[in-house]
Amino acid sequence: MTNISNLSLLTMILFVMIPVSLSYLYSLGIGKSAIWSSLRGVIQLFLIGYILTFLFSIPDWQGIGLWVAVMLVIASLQASRRGKGIPYAFLLSLSSLILIEVFVLSLWIVFDIIPFRSEQVIPMSGMIIGNSMVAAGLAFERMKNEFQSNQGKVLAALSLGANASQASQMIIRKTIRAAMIPNVDRLKTIGLVQLPGMMTGLILGGASPIQAIRYQIVISISVFSTVSICAMIISLVTYRFFFNKNMQLQTIEGGND
Amino acid sequence: MKTIIEARNVKNERVDDVHFELMEGTLTTIIGPSGSGKSSLLMLLNRLEDPDEGEIYIKSKKIDQYPISELRRDIGMVFQQAHLFDGTVEDNLKFGPRLKKQWSKKMGSELLEKVQLPVDILTKDVSHLSGGEQQRVAFARTLANDPEVLLLDEVTSALDMRTVEWMEKLLHRLVDEEGKTILMITHDLKQAERLGSYTLFMNEGRLEEQGETSELFRHPNSNALKKFIEA
């Protein structure tokens, strides 16, 4: 693999200058934030690079344990921000993500799909946790919006004798469907519109396209399943918080981020 | 006549110290300005809300002594908007009965006949129905549970005159022939006179006046009711 020199990296600043100049030209007011975001992104990535180098140098179980735990906490914090007002949103996100990570990792290891090595488990777990985090956040947000916009239908269902679970079915279905549709679409066009990130990385790293595709299949299917499971867990647990013990609809305070 | 529902000094955020009795097999109307607590009162009787103070009795038994789902089936409610569920007319009609595994195709056609809709509408998606048809389906959906009491929240406000006339006849039939008890909110005083023998007038959350409809309209006691009638 070709090494990108520091000088070559610096020339990338030219690319950042294009949107910055456009921002000034059209008074978009995002010049400063574009520079800051780029700078922050570069620092973050370098930092992660050094952290990963350290993690890969310590025993696998320590490296994996440490970094997966960090990823889980950060992802849960991020997902629960979208569930503002929903009780135990952080704990719920954390437990769903732990469950998903343990499930997927066990599957990979038991079926000898990848070895239990930091270099393999950490990046692949990152993809699973990252995608599930987005799904969890969207599920929280969607549940709040759906309960708000379908209040009349939920009340009608309750008035007809439905319990909280029966009255929430339409909302749960919509939430899970909304979480699955982008992934179904992504799977349909995978490789046709753009090469997926992991596959691109492996090919750039010198792996054969066929080898890269095998990894991509593993990660794409794992992401598809875990995102669906995550949205399902969040919806199936969260709907209860929209009702009190007398099966009466209650409003959840707290706007969306 | 027996009392079927009794509210004693019921109070919550929107309802203030409401006290009334509803007789079995009667059609009672509720009138009053917007925001006077009429809809909240119906929600309390269907237990979609609970009072902060006071008590509600259904057939002399406290409302919270009934299993909630059973109670809501027996005291059916139809809302001002149809709030139909996504899917076909049949999906909507069978929602209540299926919760008790009591649905049959025959029930669908009987219910549609009752609300004067053609049977072939059963497989139609509800999004393709007109406003009037949607309201009739919502009504039939509540009737599917065969409730003893019907709580109706301005169900005719969005209907054309012909449909209103038909609906009023249906309400009379439900009371006279099937012995149902109806408590109905209406903004139309003439409709209240045509329909009910008894009327409750609500204002600012309070049940300001109640009595025989024609008597109440002829000799209102409170200034609020006088103003409301004149408006």
Side-chain angles (χ1 to χ4, degrees):
Chain A
M1 193 174 66
T2 325
N3 240 338
I4 301 175
S5 68
N6 288 339
L7 189 68
S8 308
L9 268 183
L10 273 173
T11 56
M12 292 305 289
I13 290 174
L14 287 175
F15 275 115
V16 181
M17 290 322 287
I18 298 171
V20 171
S21 322
L22 279 174
S23 167
Y24 281 114
L25 194 64
Y26 291 104
S27 310
L28 302 178
I30 53 163
K32 257 189 201 163
S33 89
I35 295 174
W36 169 237
S37 305
S38 312
L39 205 67
R40 190 181 143 161
V42 169
I43 295 169
Q44 255 171 229
L45 283 174
F46 264 112
L47 212 65
I48 294 296
Y50 286 116
I51 291 172
L52 286 177
T53 311
F54 163 72
L55 291 170
F56 294 166
S57 70
I58 59 175
D60 290 318
W61 68 270
Q62 284 179 5
I64 292 170
L66 190 70
W67 199 241
V68 166
V70 169
M71 286 194 291
L72 285 169
V73 171
I74 293 173
S76 306
L77 278 171
Q78 182 61 26
S80 60
R81 279 178 59 192
R82 291 190 177 264
K84 210 188 269 175
I86 294 176
Y88 317 111
F90 173 73
L91 277 180
L92 180 58
S93 310
L94 185 64
S95 41
S96 315
L97 293 179
I98 290 175
L99 199 79
I100 281 163
E101 172 63 12
V102 169
F103 169 70
V104 172
L105 194 55
S106 318
L107 217 69
W108 288 342
I109 304 298
V110 169
F111 290 99
D112 207 19
I113 292 168
I114 56 163
F116 190 72
R117 294 198 51 198
S118 302
E119 291 91 331
Q120 312 247 356
V121 173
I122 289 177
M124 285 179 75
S125 294
M127 285 187 225
I128 295 297
I129 296 170
N131 280 289
S132 302
M133 170 192 81
V134 174
L138 287 177
F140 278 133
E141 209 169 63
R142 185 92 191 192
M143 289 293 276
K144 285 201 284 187
N145 292 340
E146 289 290 340
F147 266 102
Q148 206 168 19
S149 54
N150 287 301
Q151 198 183 4
K153 287 182 186 175
V154 177
L155 284 175
L158 290 172
S159 79
L160 290 166
N163 60 29
S165 157
Q166 290 157 338
S168 311
Q169 281 311 306
M170 54 191 158
I171 287 173
I172 293 172
R173 265 203 301 270
K174 275 187 188 175
T175 304
I176 298 172
R177 206 179 128 83
M180 285 177 78
I181 283 176
N183 284 288
V184 172
D185 288 348
R186 208 173 298 149
L187 273 182
K188 268 193 235 165
T189 58
I190 198 163
L192 298 176
V193 180
Q194 68 179 119
L195 289 181
M198 185 179 203
M199 200 172 138
T200 312
L202 282 166
I203 292 173
L204 284 174
S208 77
I210 299 299
Q211 188 65 15
I213 278 167
R214 283 174 185 273
Y215 270 93
Q216 191 58 53
I217 291 170
V218 169
I219 202 70
S220 294
I221 291 176
S222 303
V223 164
F224 177 63
S225 313
T226 51
V227 158
S228 316
I229 295 169
C230 189
M232 220 174 280
I233 297 174
I234 299 287
S235 326
L236 289 174
V237 176
T238 310
Y239 82 84
R240 291 157 217 267
F241 299 127
F242 291 86
F243 300 88
N244 64 18
K245 65 176 177 20
N246 292 329
M247 288 192 260
Q248 291 159 342
L249 200 56
Q250 54 185 15
T251 29
I252 296 256
E253 300 295 338
N256 298 325
D257 277 341
Chain B
M1 257 190 295
K2 278 195 291 188
T3 303
I4 191 161
I5 293 179
E6 188 186 354
R8 290 186 197 163
N9 310 101
V10 170
K11 220 175 192 181
N12 77 356
E13 251 174 70
R14 288 176 290 269
V15 169
D16 187 11
D17 204 20
V18 167
H19 197 118
F20 75 95
E21 280 181 43
L22 199 64
M23 297 300 163
E24 210 169 44
T26 56
L27 200 161
T28 303
T29 49
I30 309 180
I31 55 165
S34 306
S36 57
K38 306 184 294 290
S39 299
S40 290
L41 181 62
L42 296 197
M43 303 265 272
L44 285 162
L45 302 178
N46 192 250
R47 264 205 100 183
L48 289 171
E49 286 177 13
D50 275 333
D52 298 329
E53 283 174 42
E55 277 148 7
I56 297 169
Y57 290 85
I58 311 286
K59 292 183 181 169
S60 312
K61 215 161 105 178
K62 269 176 88 174
I63 198 167
D64 54 13
Q65 286 173 2
Y66 290 91
I68 297 177
S69 296
E70 289 294 322
L71 175 97
R72 287 178 181 156
R73 262 191 278 268
D74 286 342
I75 314 244
M77 183 160 174
V78 187
F79 298 82
Q80 190 173 2
Q81 281 172 323
H83 295 310
L84 295 182
F85 310 131
D86 298 345
T88 63
V89 170
E90 188 178 11
D91 292 334
N92 276 271
L93 296 185
K94 67 186 179 189
F95 186 88
R98 265 186 66 180
L99 297 172
K100 290 192 83 184
K101 299 182 173 61
Q102 286 172 341
W103 176 251
S104 67
K105 281 263 178 203
K106 205 177 136 219
M107 277 177 78
S109 39
E110 281 171 3
L111 285 163
L112 288 178
E113 205 177 308
K114 209 171 230 177
V115 295
Q116 285 190 353
L117 283 172
V119 179
D120 58 7
I121 212 174
L122 213 55
T123 51
K124 216 170 170 181
D125 194 288
V126 292
S127 58
H128 297 143
L129 303 180
S130 69
E133 286 171 330
Q134 289 195 1
Q135 191 56 267
R136 289 191 205 198
V137 172
F139 198 85
R141 182 177 65 179
T142 302
L143 288 179
N145 276 340
D146 194 23
E148 273 188 80
V149 180
L150 274 166
L151 308 170
L152 310 179
D153 191 350
E154 295 203 38
V155 287
T156 57
S157 62
L159 303 179
D160 59 77
M161 252 335 272
R162 256 185 60 193
T163 320
V164 172
E165 270 174 36
W166 159 82
M167 178 76 100
E168 289 178 2
K169 276 185 197 155
L170 172 67
L171 297 181
H172 277 304
R173 258 202 332 270
L174 289 170
V175 174
D176 300 337
E177 292 169 22
E178 297 186 25
K180 301 224 184 277
T181 307
I182 297 178
L183 182 59
M184 176 181 177
I185 297 175
T186 178
H187 64 279
D188 181 353
L189 297 185
K190 284 194 176 121
Q191 184 177 53
E193 272 189 309
R194 281 196 303 269
L195 274 176
S197 49
Y198 203 81
T199 295
L200 314 176
F201 169 63
M202 288 193 71
N203 187 41
E204 292 175 355
R206 287 187 308 276
L207 181 53
E208 198 115 352
E209 262 183 80
Q210 56 180 307
E212 296 286 333
T213 310
S214 48
E215 185 60 24
L216 200 69
F217 288 177
R218 263 202 305 272
H219 307 292
N221 286 324
S222 64
N223 282 334
L225 181 56
K226 275 180 204 160
K227 258 198 200 154
F228 185 71
I229 292 171
E230 282 160 16

